[in-house]
Amino acid sequence: MSTIRPADARPGARRTPRPRRYLVCRPTHFDVRYAINPWMQEAAEVDTALAGRQWAELVRAYREHGHTVEVMEPAPDLPDMVFAANSALVVGGRAFGSLFHAPQRRPESREYEIWFKAAGYDLYRPESPCEGEGDLVPAGGYLLAGTGFRTTREAHAEVQEYFGLPVISLHLTDPYFYHLDTALFVLDDGAPDGGAGTGGGARPADGPRAAALAYYPGAFSPGSREVLRRLFPDAVLATRDDALAFGLNSVSDGRHVFIAPQATGLIDRLTARGYVPVPVDLSEFHKAGGGIKCCTQELRP
Ligand code: ARG
């Protein structure tokens, strides 16, 4: 019999980090050359050298905190390829690939497929637009899935069928928060066994409440807001300012939260809950509508 273990929301709770494996893509060709979200201004000047230093700092921070980082080389003419999160969702060592909404990004899927196959993954290619971890995240044995701007409801059905994990569809309504990972992130996925197995950590029987998360309610439709409120009553709520500062585009190892330093309010609330924020500034990438999480694909064993 399983007992439900709600995520520990107590301020003084001891947060335990779990070592992760991340895939990132070098920002060699990163640029803003088209506009497919409200953050992107075609006239924007990207400081390529600064972007390179900021990205290297993110990789350094992950490694310094005990995480493994796999680095992939980008293809020229794909300026958004640095946003590795969009390439796939990997759970239990199985990879569900991508089909981009924007034609400009479609060729990225093939490039990532080459990496995944060489790394020994059997990558599934979705039939309906799906932008990987940009819109999909495991939480307490469930998959939270965003839709509204990029990933389709049809893809939610495909991903549920592929992993056999129940999908909770969430409707995004604010164009500034066009991907789920700009409005919500998982602080702890409730994995009792270190995330092993296709359950992506906790068993569905443990309930989504085994996971801890942070989100900005205003990014979601009223119904989806209510779903989040019911499933995650102890979630850390972020303000619009935190979200606009890319504070929800964060990566957590269960203790350390790699987060935009501009998200000061959220940093304070996470600290009060016992998490340890690790600020990493990716301001050059914000010009493309991306941040820390967008640059990071988690390879879950
Ligand atoms: N310019 C990219 C796009 O609009 C940014 C992607 C950000 N990635 C993410 N996971 N939110 O598609």
Side-chain angles (χ1 to χ4, degrees):
M1 280 299 287
S2 77
T3 43
I4 297 177
R5 310 171 320 114
D8 196 339
R10 283 170 305 151
R14 166 80 197 164
R15 309 288 172 196
T16 315
R18 180 159 55 76
R20 314 287 170 122
R21 190 166 163 237
Y22 298 127
L23 170 64
V24 297
C25 179
R26 213 181 288 284
T28 320
H29 308 293
F30 170 63
D31 201 357
V32 177
R33 283 198 244 144
Y34 46 77
I36 56 170
N37 70 53
W39 301 92
M40 301 177 92
Q41 310 269 327
E42 277 178 73
E45 292 283 335
V46 171
D47 181 337
T48 315
L50 177 58
R53 289 196 299 277
Q54 291 180 334
W55 180 89
E57 184 54 30
L58 177 64
V59 173
R60 196 195 61 74
Y62 286 149
R63 289 185 172 143
E64 189 181 285
H65 288 84
H67 305 299
T68 302
V69 183
E70 310 278 356
V71 179
M72 180 177 161
E73 297 302 326
D77 299 321
L78 294 174
D80 272 334
M81 200 174 152
V82 65
F83 299 119
N86 300 138
S87 66
L89 170 71
V90 181
V91 179
R94 298 174 71 224
F96 184 93
S98 57
L99 174 57
F100 284 88
H101 171 80
Q104 294 94 330
R105 295 198 65 186
R106 291 228 161 139
E108 291 180 35
S109 297
R110 173 78 190 125
E111 298 296 327
Y112 276 95
E113 183 175 21
I114 293 168
W115 187 90
F116 276 103
K117 290 207 162 151
Y121 291 87
D122 184 17
L123 185 110
Y124 173 91
R125 290 284 292 268
E127 283 164 25
S128 192
C130 188
E131 300 197 348
E133 281 200 298
D135 278 317
L136 303 168
V137 61
Y142 285 69
L143 285 178
L144 302 182
T147 189
F149 297 99
R150 302 291 182 90
T151 298
T152 58
R153 294 231 179 231
E154 289 74 19
H156 292 186
E158 266 185 279
V159 76
Q160 171 165 290
E161 194 58 33
Y162 181 76
F163 287 113
L165 289 173
V167 164
I168 297 166
S169 291
L170 299 169
H171 198 201
L172 295 160
T173 52
D174 180 331
Y176 278 94
F177 311 112
Y178 57 95
H179 272 146
L180 183 66
D181 74 359
T182 62
L184 175 153
F185 76 101
V186 171
L187 284 156
D188 185 334
D189 61 10
D193 57 356
T198 49
R203 292 155 299 184
D206 291 333
R209 288 179 78 169
L213 47 95
Y215 68 95
Y216 165 53
F220 297 92
S221 68
S224 295
R225 231 178 278 164
E226 185 60 15
V227 167
L228 287 168
R229 195 187 64 76
R230 284 166 189 260
L231 293 178
F232 305 101
D234 298 323
V236 177
L237 298 184
T239 63
R240 186 173 178 82
D241 283 346
D242 293 323
L244 288 171
F246 286 88
L248 293 161
N249 198 247
S250 294
V251 168
S252 170
D253 64 15
R255 175 174 174 81
H256 309 104
V257 181
F258 302 89
I259 187 168
Q262 296 86 349
T264 50
L266 181 56
I267 286 175
D268 288 347
R269 282 190 293 287
L270 293 171
T271 306
R273 291 275 190 110
Y275 295 97
V276 180
V278 178
V280 180
D281 189 3
L282 291 192
S283 58
E284 285 307 296
F285 299 90
H286 297 178
K287 296 174 181 171
I292 292 172
K293 174 60 213 173
C294 301
C295 291
T296 311
Q297 167 70 232
E298 184 170 346
L299 303 168
R300 297 175 189 79

